[in-house]
């Protein structure tokens, strides 16, 4: 479904992604692990269209999106929940969700809001509240809910546990699993929180120096000693 | 009592005319973060085109609308050719728009000369409120200003376009990842700002002399309105800024000459900005 091939990208004169390749099958939850500065967020930005590719290709369902701008990738069904959540603080919860629905365009379905609120009932109680006044966990729910409103083909999550109370981390992980199970939504999760990844992802990729250096089930990576070697866990 | 009402009406109309003139600058600065130093020249172009069309027999209000559209097109071309390459580079856009101001002002002198022109008042006469006299045309321009701000508020807070625009102001990258075409939106907003400047220039042309440098003072006044009101606060900030600047100018004018009053108000605005750099309704940059 998602094919990233030989991607080279970076900022200014620096290169962060050094010929990175990966593929994600429809309906999978894939975990991306790696230490800070190894290219995890840059990978998300490159797939989302915020980081220009110097070399390589990004294809979604055999459509080449390598040169497509971010807004066009959103219209093709790539939804992103960025690190820090990216909610619009001065917009209400309802307005944030409406933006997601606008991104869906023709894919938008009338009953979608109800489905999203079933996953995150708290958002329904906070509809007219400014997003900036929500707690970190609620903002994360809003960011995921907004992404779901766009009826995505592919959901990219960057550090969903970042800044969230530990008690809520597992709840959000369960939400992501439920969404994947109910809707078959292909999901890529960049995360350093290994227990959270273990509770969500099937296959995991280990990033080092802007390249994928290992791939497999999390327990297999742990057993081989590569997690300890590269993540220190 | 009549004098109090008269001063109040004068302050209100002065403030609303000022708000009308500042609106284009507020739109461009508030929404795309470009300080458009060319705003004054766009205003002067609006006044000159209105004067020219009216001279050729076109009804005044049709002339104003045509001039606003033409200045909007000029703004659009300016954005496409130059500005779009320099978003996020505030100093560069400051210099480029200032260059636009200088070039446009010189071109006005080349095409229309340096003589003063006057546009006939299209709605003559006065009416009284509580014994105070107010010009009909000034009242109409004030009403247009109010309607424009009400429309802007409605668009920003009641429509999907407004949600997209507000989202883009708060987090452009996230808005793009939600399908917002930032480049097209920036282009439309810049052209809209230019069109509003042209509209203001056309509408104030019967109230003030039309001359090549007329944009300079209006640019300075608009700049103070936008900064005192609050950077990025399109409706509330601009209205509060213009009310303070216009109202204070009217009040100080009661005891001093207009030029002195303007100087005092500018000085007070500078002092106010010293203590509140983001303006009254503005938020500190993150």
């Amino acid at each position: 479904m998602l094919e990233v091939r030989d991607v080279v990208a970076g900022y200014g004169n620096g290169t962060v992604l050094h010929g990175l390749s990966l593929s994600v099958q429809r309906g999978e939850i894939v975990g991306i692990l790696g230490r800070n500065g190894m290219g995890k967020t840059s990978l998300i930005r490159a797939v989302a269209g915020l980081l220009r590719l110097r070399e390589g290709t990004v294809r979604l369902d055999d459509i080449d999106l390598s040169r497509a701008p971010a807004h066009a990738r959103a219209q093709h069904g790539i939804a992103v929940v960025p690190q820090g959540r990216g909610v619009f603080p001065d917009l209400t919860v309802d307005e944030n969700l409406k933006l997601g629905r606008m991104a869906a365009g023709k894919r938008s379905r009338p009953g979608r809001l109800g489905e999203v609120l079933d996953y995150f009932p708290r958002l329904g109680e906070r509809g007219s509240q400014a997003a900036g006044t929500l707690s970190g966990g609620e903002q994360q729910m809003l960011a995921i809910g907004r992404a779901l409103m766009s009826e995505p083909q592919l959901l990219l999550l960057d550090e969903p546990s970042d800044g969230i109370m530990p008690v809520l981390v597992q709840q959000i992980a369960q939400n992501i699993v439920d969404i994947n199970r109910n809707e078959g939504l292909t999901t890529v999760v960049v995360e350093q929180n290994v227990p959270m990844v273990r509770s969500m992802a099937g296959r995991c990729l280990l990033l080092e120096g802007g390249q994928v250096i290992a791939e497999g089930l999390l327990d297999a990576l742990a057993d081989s000693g590569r997690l300890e070697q590269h993540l220190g866990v | 009592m009549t004098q109090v009402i008269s001063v109040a009406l004068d302050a209100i109309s002065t403030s609303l005319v000022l708000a009308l003139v500042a609106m284009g600058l507020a739109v461009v600065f508030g929404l795309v973060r470009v300080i458009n130093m060319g705003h004054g020249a766009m205003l002067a172009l609006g006044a000159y085109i209105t004067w020219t069309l009216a001279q050729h027999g076109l009804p005044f209000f049709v002339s104003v609308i045509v001039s606003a559209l033409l200045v909007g097109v000029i703004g659009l071309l300016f954005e496409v050719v130059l500005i779009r390459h320099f978003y996020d580079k505030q100093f560069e856009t400051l210099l480029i728009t200032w260059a636009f101001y200088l070039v446009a002002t010189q071109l006005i002198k080349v095409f229309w000369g340096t003589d003063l022109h006057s546009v006939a008042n299209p709605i003559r006469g006065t009416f009284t409120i509580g014994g105070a006299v107010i010009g009909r045309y000034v009242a109409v321009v004030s009403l247009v200003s109010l309607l424009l701000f009400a429309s802007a508020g409605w668009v920003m807070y009641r429509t999907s376009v407004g949600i997209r625009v507000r989202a883009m102001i708060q987090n452009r990258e996230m808005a793009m990842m939600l399908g917002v075409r930032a480049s097209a939106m920036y282009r439309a907003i810049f052209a809209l700002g230019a069109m509003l400047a042209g509209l203001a220039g056309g509408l104030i042309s019967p109230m003030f002399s039309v001359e090549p440098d007329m944009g300079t003072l209006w640019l300075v006044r608009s700049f103070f309105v936008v900064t005192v009101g609050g950077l990025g606060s399109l409706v509330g900030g601009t209205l509060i800024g213009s009310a303070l600047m216009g109202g204070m100018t009217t009040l100080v004018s009661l005891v001093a000459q207009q030029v002195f009053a303007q100087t005092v108000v500018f000085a007070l605005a500078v002092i106010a900005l010293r203590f509140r750099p983001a303006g009254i309704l503005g938020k500190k940059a993150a």
Side-chain angles (χ1 to χ4, degrees):
Chain A
M1 187 209 197
L2 174 69
E3 286 286 336
V4 176
R5 281 280 159 264
D6 304 323
V7 163
V8 177
Y11 306 89
N13 294 326
T15 302
V16 180
L17 303 180
H18 297 269
L20 186 147
S21 296
L22 62 88
S23 65
V24 179
Q25 302 305 310
R26 184 175 297 281
E28 262 192 308
I29 298 183
V30 174
I32 308 278
L33 297 161
R35 290 197 309 264
N36 285 334
M38 291 299 118
K40 303 187 300 298
T41 295
S42 298
L43 168 63
I44 296 278
R45 290 175 65 83
V47 175
L50 292 176
L51 183 61
R52 190 186 294 259
L53 308 188
R54 293 180 193 153
E55 292 175 29
T57 56
V58 171
R59 301 175 76 88
L60 185 71
D61 283 338
D62 289 331
I63 300 170
D64 189 352
L65 298 176
S66 310
R67 299 286 172 264
H71 69 84
R73 297 189 196 201
Q75 285 155 6
H76 274 96
I78 296 179
V80 183
V81 176
Q83 192 171 16
R85 303 175 280 276
V87 299
F88 301 105
D90 293 343
L91 266 59
T92 64
V93 169
D94 283 345
E95 287 172 333
N96 271 275
L97 293 172
K98 266 186 200 167
L99 269 167
R101 192 176 65 201
M102 289 176 210
K106 289 175 184 168
R107 292 192 307 274
S108 176
R109 289 179 293 119
R112 187 53 167 165
L113 180 61
E115 293 171 2
V116 170
L117 295 182
D118 283 344
Y119 291 123
F120 304 110
R122 268 196 230 182
L123 298 182
E125 300 159 14
R126 305 259 192 273
S128 57
Q129 199 171 321
T133 63
L134 299 178
S135 69
E138 288 170 337
Q139 287 190 15
Q140 190 62 272
M141 291 175 198
L142 176 58
I144 298 170
R146 184 181 61 191
L148 293 180
M149 287 298 292
S150 70
E151 309 267 7
Q153 310 286 316
L154 172 67
L155 177 62
L156 305 173
L157 296 147
D158 192 357
E159 306 266 6
S161 73
D162 185 34
I164 309 291
M165 286 166 59
V167 67
L168 281 176
V169 169
Q170 281 312 310
Q171 185 190 327
I172 286 172
Q174 189 56 50
N175 285 138
I176 293 166
V177 170
D178 290 344
I179 292 161
N180 171 262
R181 198 169 289 156
N182 295 342
E183 307 188 8
L185 178 59
T186 312
T187 305
V188 175
V189 187
V190 162
E191 188 52 80
Q192 295 196 65
N193 182 330
V194 173
M196 188 187 195
V197 174
R198 177 171 279 116
S199 64
M200 291 186 293
R203 195 160 56 94
C204 291
L205 307 176
L206 195 55
L207 254 59
E208 177 97 12
Q211 290 181 315
V212 177
I213 55 159
E215 179 177 345
L217 296 175
L218 190 66
D219 289 337
L221 290 174
D223 291 345
S224 68
R226 303 203 75 160
L227 280 190
E228 188 176 2
Q229 184 186 350
H230 296 284
L231 290 180
V233 294
Chain B
M1 186 61 188
T2 302
Q3 196 177 356
V4 172
I5 294 172
S6 177
V7 170
L9 287 177
D10 200 17
I12 291 168
S13 61
T14 303
S15 301
L16 287 172
V17 169
L18 196 51
L20 173 72
V21 171
M23 193 180 192
L25 190 74
V27 163
V28 173
F29 184 76
L31 306 185
V32 298
R33 297 286 186 253
V34 169
I35 300 172
N36 181 15
M37 300 298 278
H39 180 74
M42 290 170 177
L43 181 121
L45 278 169
Y48 269 95
I49 295 169
T50 300
W51 175 76
T52 304
L53 294 175
Q55 288 290 105
H56 284 80
L58 218 60
F60 172 76
F61 286 105
V62 175
S63 304
V64 170
I65 291 168
V66 172
S67 66
L69 292 173
L70 284 175
V71 177
V73 170
I74 291 169
L76 178 67
L77 293 174
F78 183 41
E79 199 277 349
V80 170
V81 173
L82 275 172
I83 295 295
R84 72 187 171 104
H85 302 292
F86 295 94
Y87 285 123
D88 298 329
K89 295 178 181 170
Q90 212 160 53
F91 184 65
E92 281 85 343
T93 53
L94 200 73
L95 287 180
I96 292 166
T97 55
W98 181 241
F100 175 91
Y101 173 84
L102 295 174
V103 171
T105 303
Q106 291 309 310
L107 286 175
I108 286 172
K109 288 176 183 170
V110 170
F111 285 116
W112 282 286
T114 54
D115 293 342
L116 300 183
H117 299 290
S118 59
V119 176
N121 187 338
I123 305 175
R124 292 172 188 277
T126 57
F127 63 97
T128 56
I129 298 176
V133 179
I134 183 166
R136 288 179 188 275
Y137 183 70
V138 173
V140 167
V141 172
S142 302
L143 200 62
V144 169
S145 176
L146 267 182
L147 283 175
L148 278 174
F149 276 94
S151 305
W154 182 77
V155 169
M156 290 293 280
Y157 294 98
R158 290 284 181 272
T159 69
S160 58
V161 171
I163 293 177
R164 285 191 172 107
V165 170
R166 286 187 290 140
M168 199 184 65
I169 297 168
Q170 290 174 45
N171 187 339
R172 186 171 54 169
E173 284 193 345
M174 192 62 239
M176 287 163 66
M177 289 191 285
L178 286 164
V180 175
R181 292 187 62 179
S183 56
M185 196 167 271
Y186 274 35
R187 189 161 301 152
I189 287 168
F190 197 88
L192 175 68
M195 197 181 81
L196 287 169
L199 180 76
L203 283 173
I204 67 168
S205 62
M207 299 158 69
F208 303 94
S209 298
V210 177
E211 47 102 6
D213 293 311
M214 67 183 287
T216 310
L217 184 57
W218 286 111
L219 171 67
V220 176
R221 286 173 174 163
S222 303
F223 190 72
F224 274 112
V225 164
V226 172
T227 49
V228 168
L231 299 173
S233 178
L234 174 58
V235 178
T238 309
L239 283 175
I240 287 176
S242 57
L244 284 175
M245 299 295 291
M248 283 172 61
T249 305
T250 304
L251 287 177
V252 181
S253 296
L254 292 174
V255 293
Q257 285 186 340
Q258 177 79 18
V259 175
F260 182 73
Q262 193 79 83
T263 309
V264 169
V265 171
F266 285 164
L268 288 173
V270 170
I271 293 168
L273 288 172
R274 161 68 182 80
F275 294 102
R276 200 167 169 82
I280 293 168
L281 294 189
K283 291 179 179 173
K284 282 181 184 172

